[in-house]
C-alpha cells in the first residue's frame, strides 16, 4: 500500500517516476494487490492509525489477513523499491 498525502513532494515524485515504471508495474501487478491511499481521508486515517503511519510516503506490505509484513518510510527509487519487494517475497 502506498500511504501518501496530497501535499507530499516525495509521494508525488514516486507516483510520477517510480510507480509508472514498466518493470515496477509488471512486478507489482503480478505479485501484489496494489493500493494507494490518502492518509488524510477518512479510510486512510483509519488505516494510518492501525499501522502507525506518521510520515509520508510510507509503504505498507500487508498480508491478506491484515498482518503487517513490512513498513518502509520515505522515498524509494526504482532499484530500492524492486530490491525491497523481492526481499519481502523471499520471506
Amino acid at each position: 500500500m502506498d500511504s501518501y498525502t496530497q501535499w507530499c513532494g516525495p509521494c508525488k515524485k514516486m507516483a510520477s517516476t517510480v510507480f509508472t515504471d514498466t518493470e515496477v508495474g509488471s512486478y507489482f501487478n503480478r505479485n501484489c494487490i496494489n493500493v494507494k491511499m490518502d492518509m488524510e481521508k477518512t479510510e486512510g486515517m483509519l488505516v494510518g492509525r492501525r499501522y502507525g503511519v506518521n510520515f509520508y510516503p510510507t509503504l505498507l506490505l500487508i498480508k491478506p489477513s491484515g498482518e503487517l509484513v513490512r513498513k518502509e518510510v520515505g522515498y524509494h527509487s526504482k532499484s530500492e523499491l524492486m530490491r525491497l519487494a523481492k526481499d519481502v517475497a523471499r520471506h
Side-chain angles (χ1 to χ4, degrees):
M1 175 181 297
D2 172 27
S3 304
Y4 76 99
T5 64
Q6 293 292 323
W7 49 262
C8 171
C11 300
K12 291 177 185 180
K13 185 175 179 184
M14 281 189 76
S16 68
T17 62
V18 178
F19 296 142
T20 57
D21 181 88
T22 304
E23 182 183 358
V24 170
S26 292
Y27 183 85
F28 277 83
N29 287 335
R30 266 193 328 272
N31 296 288
C32 302
I33 296 172
N34 303 295
V35 177
K36 181 178 179 86
M37 190 168 284
D38 187 333
M39 294 290 111
E40 294 183 328
K41 303 288 183 191
T42 305
E43 288 179 351
M45 290 168 59
L46 296 172
V47 170
R49 266 185 249 143
R50 178 175 180 180
Y51 295 106
V53 176
N54 298 308
F55 302 99
Y56 310 102
T58 295
L59 299 172
L60 301 172
L61 292 111
I62 305 167
K63 290 183 178 181
S65 65
E67 178 187 347
L68 182 64
V69 175
R70 190 143 167 194
K71 178 172 140 181
E72 292 285 328
V73 177
Y75 176 87
H76 288 72
S77 67
K78 171 188 171 179
S79 61
E80 292 168 335
L81 183 60
M82 293 299 292
R83 188 170 35 254
L84 165 69
K86 290 175 182 178
D87 182 54
V88 168
R90 281 191 291 273
H91 293 88

